[in-house]
Amino acid sequence: MFAPRSDTRPLLRDLARERLRVEIMRGSLCPGDRLDDEDLAVRLGCSRTPVREALADLAHLGLVELRANRYTRVAVPAREDVVPALQALGLLFGGVVRIAVPRLGDRSRAVLFRRLGVLLDCLETPSWRSSADAATPIYRTFIQECRNPMLTATLHGSLDGLTFRLRHEELDAVLPWPDIRNSVVALRVAVDCRDGRLAERATWAAHLLPDPDAADR
């Protein structure tokens, strides 16, 4: 998402962005929290300029809302964005899992199988925090196992913004959780038997997309 530097020394902007990104994704900074660049500069131990640049970057990712001469705050997920964000994740990851699952080594397969089990437990009584906390490591493992650096860079740049949009306070009432859970069960089976095509179909179904193989029938 952001261009890499030619040397290994991090910019203050990068450090501030990563610190704030982590705080937002972990919930230390909550949706709607005001973000004062002067206060943040003091807390982060830098000047206001890198903080402002970091906030602009996070706004581009959809984690921060900037309103000139009004406010800067942590973005507030909208109910109408929940399903489109989930479908976007499905479109991005359907191809990833189809590539990654057949290549899984025994250790990676066991890790994913266990993590999918944790997600299934969370989906028994779904909430955005528990579901997101369980799903994010799964997404990141699939990205790693895909072993495509261009695709990896694209996905890493999109993942936080899309998963953040799922953190709506009424998420439990918005999504068809039994259907999603059944699809995660199918994905777990696909991982266990290293079936990339089944994994893709299960991923699409879990993200409320039509069967990608339907056109072939």
Side-chain angles (χ1 to χ4, degrees):
M1 178 64 70
F2 303 107
R5 302 183 64 213
S6 58
D7 59 49
T8 59
R9 294 172 298 172
L11 291 169
L12 290 175
R13 168 188 188 157
D14 298 334
L15 294 172
R17 181 180 65 238
E18 180 61 13
R19 173 82 174 272
L20 294 172
R21 184 197 68 81
V22 169
E23 291 185 8
I24 291 170
M25 296 306 296
R26 287 181 177 173
S28 302
L29 290 171
C30 301
D33 282 355
R34 295 298 178 102
L35 301 169
D36 181 85
D37 55 7
E38 187 171 356
D39 291 343
L40 290 173
V42 171
R43 182 159 69 82
L44 299 177
C46 60
S47 68
R48 295 169 69 180
T49 297
V51 169
R52 288 172 177 171
E53 292 172 341
L55 291 172
D57 289 345
L58 293 171
H60 185 70
L61 293 177
L63 303 182
V64 167
E65 294 176 356
L66 300 174
R67 298 291 182 269
N69 301 318
R70 293 181 58 195
Y71 61 78
T72 301
R73 69 180 186 182
V74 179
V76 179
R79 182 180 175 121
E80 61 268 21
D81 288 342
V82 168
V83 171
L86 189 67
Q87 291 176 329
L89 282 167
L91 285 168
L92 289 170
F93 277 92
V96 170
V97 299
R98 185 161 184 167
I99 294 171
V101 165
R103 300 176 177 177
L104 292 173
D106 290 341
R107 183 178 182 279
S108 296
R109 183 170 61 96
V111 167
L112 275 168
F113 191 82
R114 176 178 54 80
R115 287 178 173 170
L116 286 164
V118 172
L119 177 58
L120 286 171
D121 290 341
C122 293
L123 293 177
E124 290 284 358
T125 54
S127 71
W128 71 258
R129 181 175 293 279
S130 62
S131 299
D133 288 348
T136 299
I138 295 170
Y139 286 127
R140 295 200 181 281
T141 302
F142 277 127
I143 290 173
Q144 179 181 350
E145 292 297 326
C146 184
R147 301 171 198 166
N148 182 317
M150 294 183 182
L151 189 55
T152 295
T154 300
L155 290 169
H156 274 307
S158 304
L159 184 58
D160 284 342
L162 290 172
T163 56
F164 182 79
R165 285 172 171 81
L166 301 179
R167 298 185 176 191
H168 191 272
E169 59 185 9
E170 298 178 13
L171 186 67
D172 58 337
V174 174
L175 299 177
W177 293 106
D179 294 340
I180 291 173
R181 192 177 189 282
N182 289 339
S183 300
V184 175
V185 170
L187 178 57
R188 199 173 188 227
V189 170
V191 166
D192 190 41
C193 60
R194 295 189 177 93
D195 187 329
R197 189 163 186 155
L198 176 59
E200 181 185 30
R201 292 173 61 189
T203 299
W204 276 49
H207 293 80
L208 309 185
L209 290 164
D211 187 340
D213 292 333
D216 298 333
R217 294 173 190 161

